[in-house]
């Protein structure tokens, strides 16, 4: 009765999922760090964490500026890039953990958090711990979940969004249950009192979860929000929840958005001061245009083991796709989901919409919806699709659709474990990431600036996002890198030569000694 009763069995379920997450994170824990230069830029993690720590040590919060980026001239990266996971890594560094271990620890915690959050949501939704456990395993081993760590590398924020997706839906589910229970207790209680009581319970959890998503990765929050709203509206249209619960759910999401306003409000207000880079105003022939990244027949990799290669000779194949095992069990889960009445419409609609958004069928939406082009890559919806794919896959193990198998308890459990093993093997057996053999003591300002110089990536971006408008054309180097000992340039005042010496350089200020001859 491992997952059939509360208490000890519930602990075993959580402990086993932590073990599953640790297996997914195991390739991270080698010498140096995972090197993803072929499909991403994992050294960006070093620069972002290093610069955030420099700010925190100087007492700066919230962090807005990378003082040593852009070849030492400074760069307003954190003003526009949601960076909550980097704050967590920064806290590890501040308490004495070296920067490489801190980053690996945050990535590992991301796997653990996503697995446990998925289990919590699905257990609340289905009431079946075995189905919830299978959903969490399928979510952990979803190819795009692993690709964000082992191929893209620098997408730590987008990777951590996986943890917030099910947590937001779990908050909505629990909030709906709580509101309905209180509504059944009495009908004379005022709406304002119900709102206050809900806000102090599950509503607060929902608001914190949604605010955490916005602070973790704003683009992921942008593409996921319609699905959270869809959940509320599907439940309301099916009369599973009442008007007040619908309103309260919207209010909780709105409150979560307000909690994150310290980040997104300045970012929106100051967009006019920076260059938006390759996401806006580019031609359809440009690599970063969304039209270059739709998936059609190549939405699924047709090999038993998932291929993480980004080699250019593999025409038509990309790691930004579904795995074959993931797709097969999703199809089986769709059949099983059609026999589950209470929540089937939300799961099926979510899976359908997130899949269509990856394909050319959604091209009219990408062409005409404001701000959708900022998402850049339609395959980014693979993160949301992974959520619904895992949820649908779990229905294969739902007791409501597995009565014939359930008659044999051992056979039922073996079915769930077998599916979990197949999903894990299909993505882990082919995972052989390259490594960047670097020590924590080698992560210095000088080396990070040299990395910018040799790669041409300013401030941990591929092109020039968030550089000030006045930096046009873009920078390619600075005197600081060419000749660090050279004095800075100064503008003569009425034929008077100036000399200057930098006395102190900190994240928020510099102190100079300037004198004339």
């Amino acid at each position: 009765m491992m997952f059939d009763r509360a208490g000890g069995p519930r602990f075993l379920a959580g402990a086993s999922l932590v073990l599953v997450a640790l297996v997914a994170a195991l390739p991270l824990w080698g010498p140096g760090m995972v090197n993803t230069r072929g499909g991403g830029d994992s050294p960006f993690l070093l620069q972002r964490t290093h610069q955030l720590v420099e700010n925190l040590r100087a007492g700066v919060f919230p962090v807005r500026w990378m003082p040593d980026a852009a070849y030492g001239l400074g760069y307003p990266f954190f003003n526009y890039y949601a960076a909550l996971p980097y704050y967590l890594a920064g806290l590890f560094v501040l308490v004495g953990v070296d920067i490489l271990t801190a980053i690996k620890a945050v990535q590992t915690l991301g796997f653990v958090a996503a697995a446990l959050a998925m289990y919590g949501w699905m257990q609340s939704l289905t009431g079946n711990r075995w189905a919830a456990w299978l959903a969490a395993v399928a979510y952990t081993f979803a190819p795009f979940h692993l690709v964000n760590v082992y191929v893209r590398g620098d997408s730590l924020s987008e990777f951590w969004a996986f943890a917030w997706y099910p947590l937001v839906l779990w908050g909505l589910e629990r909030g709906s249950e709580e509101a309905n229970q209180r509504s059944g207790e009495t009908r004379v209680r005022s709406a304002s009192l119900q709102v206050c009581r809900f806000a102090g319970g599950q509503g607060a959890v929902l608001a914190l979860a949604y605010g955490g998503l916005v602070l973790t990765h704003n683009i992921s929050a942008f593409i996921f929000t319609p699905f959270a709203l869809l959940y509320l509206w599907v439940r309301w249209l099916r009369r599973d929840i009442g008007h007040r619960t619908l309103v309260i759910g919207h209010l909780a999401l709105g409150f979560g958005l307000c909690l994150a306003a310290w980040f997104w409000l300045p970012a929106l207000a100051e967009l006019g001061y920076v260059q938006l880079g390759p996401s806006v105003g580019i031609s359809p022939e440009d690599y970063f245009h969304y039209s270059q990244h739709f998936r059609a027949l190549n939405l699924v990799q047709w090999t038993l083991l998932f291929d993480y290669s980004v080699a250019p000779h593999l025409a038509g194949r990309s790691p930004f796709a579904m795995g074959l095992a993931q797709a097969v069990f999703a199809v089986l889960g769709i059949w099983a989901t059609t026999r589950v009445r209470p929540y089937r419409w939300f799961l099926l609609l979510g899976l359908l919409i997130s899949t269509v958004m990856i394909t050319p069928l959604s091209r009219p939406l990408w062409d005409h919806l404001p701000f959708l082009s900022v998402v850049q890559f339609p395959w980014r919806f693979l993160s949301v699709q992974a959520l619904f794919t895992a949820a649908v896959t779990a229905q294969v193990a739902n007791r409501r659709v597995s009565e014939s198998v359930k008659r044999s308890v051992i056979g039922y459990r073996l079915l769930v474990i077998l599916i979990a093993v197949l999903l894990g093997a299909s993505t882990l057996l082919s995972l052989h990431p390259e490594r960047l053999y670097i020590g924590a003591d080698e992560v210095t300002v000088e080396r990070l600036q040299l990395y910018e110089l040799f790669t041409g990536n300013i401030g941990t971006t591929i092109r020039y996002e968030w550089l000030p408008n006045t930096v046009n054309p873009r920078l390619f180097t600075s005197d600081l890198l060419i000749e660090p000992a050279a004095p800075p340039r100064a503008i003569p005042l009425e034929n008077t030569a100036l000399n200057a010496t930098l006395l102190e350089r900190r994240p928020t200020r510099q102190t100079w000694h300037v004198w004339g001859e």
Side-chain angles (χ1 to χ4, degrees):
M1 296 295 180
M2 180 179 177
F3 297 136
D4 293 334
R5 295 177 184 174
R10 183 179 298 172
F11 170 79
L12 290 177
S16 64
L17 288 176
V18 171
L19 181 60
V20 167
L22 293 179
V23 170
L26 186 61
L28 292 169
W29 294 92
M33 66 183 300
V34 171
N35 183 22
T36 62
R37 192 69 183 94
D41 294 279
S42 50
F44 284 171
L45 299 177
L46 299 174
Q47 186 170 15
R48 293 170 185 173
T49 304
H50 179 277
Q51 292 293 278
L52 189 137
V53 169
E54 290 298 303
N55 278 275
L56 293 179
R57 282 177 174 157
V60 178
F61 182 86
V63 178
R64 292 163 59 93
W65 191 261
M66 279 188 174
D68 302 305
Y71 313 120
L73 299 175
Y75 177 72
F77 175 79
F78 292 112
N79 195 55
Y80 302 96
Y81 190 92
L84 187 59
Y86 294 95
Y87 281 95
L88 180 57
L91 290 177
F92 281 133
V93 175
L94 290 178
V95 298
V97 180
D98 71 79
I99 190 169
L100 291 173
T101 303
I103 292 172
K104 296 173 187 177
V106 171
Q107 291 171 319
T108 302
L109 287 175
F111 278 115
V112 173
L116 296 180
M118 188 66 178
Y119 175 80
W121 172 49
M122 289 302 296
Q123 201 280 329
S124 178
L125 188 67
T126 66
N128 184 332
R129 293 196 182 105
W130 275 98
W133 185 85
L134 180 58
V137 173
Y139 195 50
T140 300
F141 294 132
F144 191 64
H145 197 196
L146 299 174
V147 162
N148 274 314
V149 175
Y150 297 111
V151 176
R152 301 182 71 193
D154 63 318
S155 57
L156 179 63
S157 290
E158 197 162 349
F159 164 72
W160 256 88
F162 272 74
W164 295 111
Y165 289 167
L167 199 58
V168 169
L169 294 177
W170 190 10
L172 286 169
E173 176 66 24
R174 296 283 294 177
S176 298
E177 293 176 358
E178 182 175 316
N180 287 337
Q181 290 172 0
R182 289 175 176 171
S183 177
E185 292 172 1
T186 176
R187 297 184 181 277
V188 299
R189 190 171 292 155
S190 67
S192 60
L193 180 59
Q194 289 190 38
V195 171
C196 291
R197 290 194 62 183
F198 176 67
Q202 295 301 325
V205 175
L206 171 58
L208 289 172
Y210 185 66
L213 174 59
V214 175
L215 294 174
T216 295
H217 194 244
N218 39 358
I219 292 179
S220 294
F222 175 70
I223 66 176
F224 179 71
T225 299
F227 294 91
L229 296 176
L230 177 68
Y231 173 84
L232 284 172
W233 282 91
V234 168
R235 293 288 301 272
W236 179 74
L237 290 172
R238 289 185 51 80
R239 299 182 180 179
D240 296 329
I241 60 175
H243 296 2
R244 290 177 178 174
T245 305
L246 179 68
V247 172
I248 291 171
H250 285 78
L251 289 175
L253 292 174
F255 185 59
L257 189 64
C258 291
L259 290 176
W262 59 268
F263 160 69
W264 61 262
L265 192 57
L268 287 180
E270 298 175 2
L271 275 178
Y273 300 115
V274 293
Q275 303 175 50
L276 299 182
S279 61
V280 177
I282 58 177
S283 68
E285 291 75 26
D286 192 285
Y287 172 81
F288 288 97
H289 195 270
Y290 55 82
S291 62
Q292 302 293 318
H293 300 277
F294 287 115
R295 295 288 178 264
L297 294 179
N298 59 347
L299 175 60
V300 178
Q301 285 194 6
W302 302 100
T303 54
L304 292 177
L305 298 181
F306 191 81
D307 187 354
Y308 295 91
S309 175
V310 292
H313 65 277
L314 297 175
R317 186 181 300 176
S318 169
F320 309 128
M322 298 178 67
L324 180 60
Q326 181 191 28
V328 168
F329 286 113
V331 171
L332 295 176
I334 290 172
W335 169 82
T337 306
T338 58
R339 301 177 62 187
V340 179
R341 292 187 178 276
Y343 48 83
R344 63 174 178 177
W345 292 114
F346 173 64
L347 297 184
L348 294 176
L349 276 174
L351 180 58
L352 175 64
I353 295 171
S354 59
T355 302
V356 168
M357 291 302 297
I358 306 170
T359 70
L361 295 174
S362 62
R363 177 65 185 266
L365 295 177
W366 289 86
D367 288 340
H368 297 99
L369 283 183
F371 304 115
L372 191 56
S373 61
V374 178
V375 178
Q376 291 184 325
F377 310 120
W379 44 254
R380 271 191 161 133
F381 278 89
L382 284 167
S383 62
V384 181
Q385 191 212 41
L387 176 81
F388 290 106
T389 300
V392 167
T393 297
Q395 303 314 310
V396 176
N398 195 315
R399 288 179 181 151
R400 298 174 185 175
V401 297
S402 304
E403 292 298 330
S404 60
V405 179
K406 193 188 69 165
R407 294 191 187 104
S408 170
V409 176
I410 296 178
Y412 173 73
R413 296 178 179 178
L414 286 177
L415 171 67
V416 175
I417 294 173
L418 177 61
I419 296 173
V421 169
L422 290 175
L423 288 170
S426 68
T427 53
L428 291 182
L429 292 180
S430 56
L431 182 60
H432 307 291
E434 297 180 358
R435 306 205 68 83
L436 178 64
Y437 295 96
I438 184 174
D441 58 336
E442 297 178 271
V443 184
T444 63
V445 171
E446 293 76 19
R447 287 178 177 267
L448 293 174
Q449 289 175 350
L450 286 174
Y451 178 78
E452 284 187 324
L453 177 65
F454 284 110
T455 63
N457 297 327
I458 295 179
T460 80
T461 58
I462 294 178
R463 290 192 178 178
Y464 48 86
E465 300 100 308
W466 320 129
L467 276 176
N469 283 330
T470 52
V471 184
N472 193 7
R474 57 163 285 187
L475 300 165
F476 286 92
T477 188
S478 72
D479 292 344
L480 182 65
L481 289 175
I482 298 174
E483 191 177 354
R489 297 179 182 179
I491 301 176
L493 298 177
E494 297 181 355
N495 298 323
T496 300
L498 293 180
N499 295 288
T501 301
L502 178 63
L503 301 179
E504 181 187 32
R505 179 186 179 89
R506 305 194 67 184
T508 56
R509 70 176 186 269
Q510 297 181 12
T511 303
W512 293 78
H513 177 209
V514 181
W515 70 95
E517 295 180 356

